[in-house]
């Protein structure tokens, strides 16, 4: 167990044990091997260590205090010098009195038990939001585990386990088939959405949690349709395997967000302990429900359908609230855009906690609410603004690593065409180039908002005159200059708040690059 050393501030109140009293006179002999003060050498007398067990607290202090104390397992001990050796004596809990105080004893016992439980479940050094995350994780795991027990019981009833007419070989075959198909689907899903685990972690994790909850509902239906057991069980297991793949893929990123002292291994280990203990509480809850209704088979069969909507709602609510307390320090396009918008409007860089609150789960339908959304990707040659894009590409030089143009995109939610800003990145573009380009795009969007009606009328025109084209490219240059001027201070503040600026995580479509060809 880790010990923490600290010194007290009242040094003037402690007597120096090495000072020689003035009444004593010593003459230092010439032999080099003997000591001047008539005591044993320091190397033999200082025999205390961190693992040294402190002596019991006594009413009389054994000697002058040393301004160093040790806090270990919730107890505080103090070093004393008795003239020959160092002694480690407990100083908390009323050392000067031998009276037994029941209230103090209960409080001390509660404090010790609380510290022991905390050390068992919680890593030593984690961020402040970790305990809030663990509380919601407890709610999620308990009710999710209870639902899984009830679903497994329902599947056993569907294949006839426990009845004399059951066919063990057929049941085993169905079970193996549904597991095999589920694992195959898990591999396909993981391979197809590999980059989304980094760029849209919270959204993917919550959506797969909803899918997991629905899979439990499908498993609960198997006793009602025993002839379709293989189909229903396979569908449910595919959804479960997809959810498990997402949970495992995103777990390391979630744990890293809490590890503030490079103790990722410890955080992961404690997470496994929490999962096992919380799941066992869920098993206990399911067992209690079965015991309560064991004498009534009809109520026991109907119990899962009554419990499922309640437990599922609590489970998903716990997951949603827990994800809100996960503050990721990695930069994605959406997080960087939130940072840059805050910088432009309010003049400061938000912390990971503030961005996490603004980011939320990042549902797809929430992205259509913004006017002139910014997209990173490839240019569509059939776009209405092809002339603007052509002129932007013609003006490129060998020193440019991105260009910005307008585009028309189809928003699925709500279903309509809307205008947006496109940022095209060149092959070899660095993190600074991406940040500068996105900051310039944010400045352009702000300028468009300030004169919204005029720019909307301009972009609706089928053919833009040269004067309007010149005005558009003048706006591009002004916003680019402002972005370049802000980069030094902006980068310094982003790094100062703990953001990981080494890489910006982009999705598969956002990773498309163009190459500059100098003919």
């Amino acid at each position: 167990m880790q010990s923490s050393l600290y010194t007290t501030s009242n040094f003037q109140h402690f007597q120096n044990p090495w000072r020689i009293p003035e009444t004593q006179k010593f003459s230092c002999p010439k032999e080099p091997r003997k000591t001047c003060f008539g005591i044993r050498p320091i190397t033999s007398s200082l025999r205390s260590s961190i693992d040294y067990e402190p002596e019991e607290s006594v009413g009389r202090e054994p000697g002058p205090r040393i301004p160093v104390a040790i806090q270990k397992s919730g107890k505080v001990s103090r070093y004393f010098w008795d003239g020959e050796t160092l002694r480690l004596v407990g100083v908390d809990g009323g050392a000067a009195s031998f009276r037994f105080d029941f209230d103090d004893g209960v409080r001390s016992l509660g404090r010790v038990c609380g510290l022991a439980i905390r050390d068992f479940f919680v890593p030593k050094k984690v961020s402040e939001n970790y305990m809030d995350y663990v509380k919601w994780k407890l709610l999620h795991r308990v009710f999710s585990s209870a639902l899984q027990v009830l679903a497994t019981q329902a599947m056993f009833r569907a294949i006839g386990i426990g009845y004399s007419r059951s066919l063990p070989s057929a049941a085993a075959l169905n079970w193996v088939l549904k597991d095999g198909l589920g694992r195959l689907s898990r591999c396909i899903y993981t391979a197809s959405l590999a980059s989304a685990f980094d760029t849209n972690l919270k959204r993917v994790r919550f959506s797969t949690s909803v899918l997991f909850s629905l899979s439990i509902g499908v498993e609960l239906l198997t006793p009602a349709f025993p002839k379709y057991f293989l189909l229903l069980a396979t569908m449910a297991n595919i959804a479960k395997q997809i959810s498990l793949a997402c949970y495992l893929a995103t777990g390391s990123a979630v744990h890293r967000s809490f590890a503030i002292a490079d103790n990722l291994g410890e955080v992961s280990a404690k997470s496994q302990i929490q999962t096992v203990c919380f799941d066992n509480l869920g098993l206990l809850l399911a067992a209690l429900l079965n015991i309560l209704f064991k004498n009534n088979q009809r109520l026991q069969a109907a119990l899962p359908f009554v419990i499922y909507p309640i437990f599922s709602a609590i489970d998903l609510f716990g997951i949603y609230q827990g994800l809100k307390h996960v503050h990721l320090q990695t930069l994605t396009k959406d997080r960087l855009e939130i940072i840059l918008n805050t910088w432009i409007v309010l003049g400061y860089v938000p912390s990971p906690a503030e961005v996490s609150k603004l980011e939320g789960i990042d549902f797809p339908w929430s992205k259509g609410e913004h006017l002139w959304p910014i997209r990173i990707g490839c240019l569509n040659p059939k776009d209405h603004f092809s002339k603007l894009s052509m002129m932007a590409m013609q003006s490129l030089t060998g020193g440019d690593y991105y260009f910005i143009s307008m585009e028309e995109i189809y928003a699925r939610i709500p279903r309509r065409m809307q205008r947006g800003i496109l940022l095209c990145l060149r092959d070899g573009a660095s993190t600074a180039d991406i940040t500068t380009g996105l900051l310039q795009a944010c400045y352009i969007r702000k300028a468009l908002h300030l004169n919204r009606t005029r720019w909307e009328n301009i972009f609706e025109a089928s053919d833009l005159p040269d004067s309007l084209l010149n005005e558009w490219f003048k706006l591009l240059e002004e916003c680019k200059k402002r972005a370049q001027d802000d980069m030094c201070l902006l980068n310094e503040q982003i790094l100062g708040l703990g953001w990981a600026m080494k890489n910006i995580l982009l999705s598969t479509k956002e990773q498309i690059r163009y190459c500059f060809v100098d003919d």
Side-chain angles (χ1 to χ4, degrees):
M1 185 171 294
Q2 187 176 1
S3 301
S4 59
L5 298 178
Y6 62 90
T7 60
T8 57
S9 59
N10 299 327
F11 291 101
Q12 65 271 18
H13 295 295
F14 300 107
Q15 195 175 15
N16 190 349
W18 308 105
R19 183 181 297 171
I20 307 171
E22 295 182 358
T23 56
Q24 298 179 7
K25 302 294 182 179
F26 294 96
S27 59
C28 212
K30 295 182 180 180
E31 290 81 5
R33 293 183 178 274
K34 294 183 180 180
T35 60
C36 300
F37 303 109
I39 61 176
R40 284 181 290 177
I42 298 175
T43 55
S44 62
S45 60
L46 299 181
R47 51 184 175 85
S48 62
S49 66
I50 296 300
D51 295 328
Y52 180 79
E53 293 298 329
E55 302 179 16
E56 296 295 332
S57 300
V58 293
R60 183 176 61 85
E61 295 182 353
R65 295 185 181 185
I66 304 297
V68 176
I70 291 182
Q71 187 177 4
K72 184 178 181 182
S73 301
K75 299 180 180 180
V76 180
S77 303
R78 192 70 175 272
Y79 281 109
F80 293 89
W81 175 257
D82 62 0
E84 293 185 354
T85 59
L86 278 177
R87 299 177 63 185
L88 191 60
V89 180
V91 295
D92 59 336
S97 176
F98 287 95
R99 292 182 302 172
F100 177 75
D101 192 330
F102 180 78
D103 293 336
D104 289 343
V106 171
R107 284 195 295 267
S108 299
L109 180 61
R111 184 175 70 253
V112 171
C113 293
L115 289 172
I117 294 174
R118 181 181 177 88
D119 291 340
F120 183 76
F121 282 101
V122 182
K124 293 293 182 184
K125 294 183 179 181
V126 286
S127 56
E128 296 178 356
N129 53 308
Y130 182 76
M131 290 306 300
D132 294 325
Y133 170 78
V134 172
K135 292 175 185 177
W136 291 111
K137 180 182 178 181
L138 168 63
L139 188 69
H140 147 58
R141 297 299 308 188
V142 168
F143 288 94
S144 177
S145 178
L147 280 177
Q148 292 182 61
V149 173
L150 298 177
T152 303
Q153 290 177 343
M155 294 176 68
F156 284 163
R157 288 195 299 270
I159 61 178
I161 291 181
Y163 297 91
S164 58
R165 66 177 183 272
S166 64
L167 299 176
S169 59
L173 178 60
N174 287 342
W175 203 274
V176 170
L177 282 174
K178 64 103 177 172
D179 282 350
L181 293 174
R183 291 173 182 175
L184 178 61
S185 301
R186 172 182 169 181
C187 294
I188 297 174
Y189 168 79
T190 306
S192 60
L193 290 181
S195 63
F197 294 134
D198 293 317
T199 56
N200 298 307
L201 185 148
K202 293 185 179 182
R203 188 208 312 170
V204 173
R205 188 156 183 171
F206 184 77
S207 60
T208 53
S209 298
V210 174
L211 193 63
F212 184 86
S213 181
L214 293 175
S215 70
I216 294 179
V218 173
E219 289 179 346
L220 292 174
L221 290 174
T222 53
F225 305 97
K227 293 182 180 180
Y228 302 100
F229 171 81
L230 182 59
L231 176 62
L232 294 177
T234 301
M235 291 173 55
N237 199 56
I238 288 174
K240 283 179 130 181
Q241 292 293 331
I242 289 175
S243 180
L244 178 61
C246 175
Y247 181 81
L248 295 176
T250 58
S252 58
V254 173
H255 297 157
R256 191 182 297 110
S257 68
F258 297 119
I260 60 176
D262 292 333
N263 54 337
L264 178 60
E266 182 190 15
V267 175
S268 301
K270 297 293 185 180
S271 176
Q272 295 182 36
I273 295 174
Q274 295 164 7
T275 300
V276 171
C277 294
F278 298 163
D279 285 353
N280 285 337
L281 292 177
L283 294 176
L284 180 60
L285 177 60
L288 290 176
L289 292 175
N290 283 320
I291 292 173
L292 290 175
F293 297 96
K294 66 178 181 180
N295 295 326
N296 193 324
Q297 293 295 328
R298 294 182 62 183
L299 287 177
Q300 191 174 21
L303 176 65
F305 300 100
V306 178
I307 295 296
Y308 171 72
I310 302 174
F311 281 20
S312 294
I314 297 175
D315 174 30
L316 293 177
F317 181 73
I319 296 172
Y320 181 83
Q321 293 295 330
L323 288 175
K324 290 173 65 176
H325 294 283
V326 177
H327 306 327
L328 301 170
Q329 292 88 21
T330 53
L331 286 177
T332 62
K333 180 262 177 184
D334 293 332
R335 291 188 202 118
L336 182 58
E337 187 176 348
I338 293 174
I339 293 173
L340 298 180
N341 283 331
T342 307
W343 169 267
I344 292 173
V345 176
L346 301 177
Y348 76 97
V349 173
S351 65
E354 294 177 273
V355 172
S356 180
K357 184 178 180 180
L358 295 172
E359 178 186 29
I361 303 301
D362 191 24
F363 292 112
W365 54 82
S366 63
K367 294 187 175 182
E369 299 176 356
H370 304 290
L371 194 64
W372 286 300
I374 301 173
R375 184 177 71 90
I376 299 177
C378 182
L379 180 68
N380 182 9
K382 297 181 180 180
D383 191 78
H384 172 67
F385 300 102
S386 57
K387 186 176 182 179
L388 291 177
S389 304
M390 180 269 298
M391 296 183 66
M393 289 186 288
Q394 278 187 339
S395 62
L396 289 174
T397 63
D400 296 325
Y401 280 88
Y402 68 87
F403 70 89
I404 295 176
S405 178
M406 296 296 295
E407 67 170 353
E408 283 187 344
I409 56 177
Y410 178 74
R412 295 181 179 178
I413 305 174
R415 295 188 175 184
R416 61 182 176 86
M417 294 295 295
Q418 64 177 0
R419 298 176 184 87
I421 301 174
L422 175 65
L423 173 62
C424 294
L425 299 175
R426 177 181 166 181
D427 188 21
S430 63
T431 301
D433 296 323
I434 300 174
T435 306
T436 305
L438 194 57
L439 181 58
Q440 180 184 352
C442 290
Y443 272 124
I444 293 172
R445 178 167 58 186
K446 181 182 178 181
L448 296 178
H449 275 284
L450 292 177
N451 203 351
R452 174 180 172 181
T453 304
R454 182 173 182 275
W455 283 108
E456 283 184 344
N457 294 331
I458 291 175
F459 292 139
E460 285 178 357
S462 57
D463 188 18
L464 296 177
D466 293 339
S467 60
L468 295 180
L469 289 176
N470 293 333
E471 186 177 354
W472 165 252
F473 284 101
K474 181 180 178 181
L475 175 64
L476 290 181
E477 288 300 321
E478 291 177 354
C479 293
K480 183 176 183 180
K481 186 177 185 304
R482 293 185 64 181
Q484 292 174 344
D485 293 341
D486 288 351
M487 275 304 297
C488 183
L489 182 59
L490 176 65
N491 186 66
E492 181 181 347
Q493 292 194 19
I494 291 177
L495 290 174
L497 287 171
W499 288 103
M501 281 289 292
K502 185 177 180 180
N503 292 304
I504 297 177
L505 302 176
L506 301 176
S507 64
T508 304
K509 292 182 179 180
E510 293 171 345
Q511 293 176 8
I512 300 176
R513 300 286 192 270
Y514 73 88
C515 296
F516 180 75
V517 181
D518 189 6
D519 294 333

